[in-house]
Amino acid sequence: MDSAEYERRIAARFASFDQDGNGYIDREDFSSAAKALLAEFDVTARCDKGQALYIGAEAFWQGMAGIADVDGDQRVTREEFVTGAVKRLRDSPQRFAEIARPFLRAVLAVADRDGQGVTAEDAGRVLRVLGVTPDAIPAATTALDPENTGRIPSEEQLLAAFAAYFTTPDPEA
Ligand SMILES: [Ca+2]
Ligand SMILES: [Ca+2]
């Protein structure tokens, strides 16, 4: 991968966190992602699944801020994201993924409408709501369901896929 491709990937990762596109990642991005997911799956904020999603989103934000908000202004700029989050998760992708675990677990619960696991179609809806571009969704859902079972597998596999997605090889490294 060349530098331009690396930059493009980092920009895409940053954009997927910066849900409202205002140039920095903050708590609002995480809570609005939670809100949008609940609306997509017609789940109320008051029920257990809705509460778990908001709590997971807050924990994810706190974890992100702890890693990347170097100046403590409650905003993660693109520069902070690259120097903090990207480096950290390259060094320790599994540990980075752990900060997302409560959120991803809650997302699985919201998107699993029949209690039999999340369908590939519903996983695609999640990714779309979270801002993944439509052309990237088929590859992402295929990666999440390598055995082509039609269902997104366990939380552990989802976490591993999440870590892999955000572990972008650095051409300079
Ligand atoms: Ca933002
Ligand atoms: Ca900051």
Side-chain angles (χ1 to χ4, degrees):
M1 191 183 336
D2 62 17
S3 292
E5 171 68 6
Y6 176 71
E7 282 294 314
R8 196 187 63 73
R9 288 200 188 192
I10 294 300
R13 304 300 182 269
F14 183 80
S16 62
F17 280 110
D18 180 17
Q19 290 271 307
D20 59 11
N22 65 354
Y24 53 83
I25 302 164
D26 70 1
R27 173 178 281 115
E28 186 70 23
D29 292 312
F30 287 85
S31 59
S32 56
K35 189 177 176 186
L37 282 168
L38 292 181
E40 173 71 23
F41 289 95
D42 203 20
V43 173
T44 70
R46 290 186 306 279
C47 72
D48 289 349
K49 286 182 177 181
Q51 288 293 305
L53 190 64
Y54 275 107
I55 290 167
E58 172 65 15
F60 196 176
W61 158 245
Q62 293 289 345
M64 169 72 78
I67 288 171
D69 182 20
V70 176
D71 62 5
D73 68 350
Q74 299 294 306
R75 296 176 175 183
V76 173
T77 62
R78 189 179 148 135
E79 189 188 348
E80 285 177 321
F81 180 75
V82 171
T83 56
V86 174
K87 276 202 174 64
R88 179 70 65 91
L89 71 100
R90 192 178 58 225
D91 297 342
S92 177
Q94 196 52 44
R95 207 168 129 228
F96 180 82
E98 287 301 322
I99 71 173
R101 183 189 288 276
F103 179 71
L104 294 179
R105 178 182 293 159
V107 169
L108 283 177
V110 165
D112 180 1
R113 292 180 298 153
D114 61 3
Q116 305 287 312
V118 178
T119 64
E121 186 192 341
D122 285 339
R125 289 167 70 195
V126 168
L127 295 171
R128 182 171 52 73
V129 169
L130 294 180
V132 175
T133 52
D135 59 318
I137 288 175
T141 52
T142 302
L144 286 170
D145 180 20
E147 312 271 306
N148 198 24
T149 61
R151 300 277 174 165
I152 302 306
S154 68
E155 181 181 312
E156 293 306 323
Q157 285 164 299
L158 183 61
L159 265 183
F162 175 83
Y165 175 74
F166 283 102
T167 308
T168 304
D170 181 349
E172 312 295 332

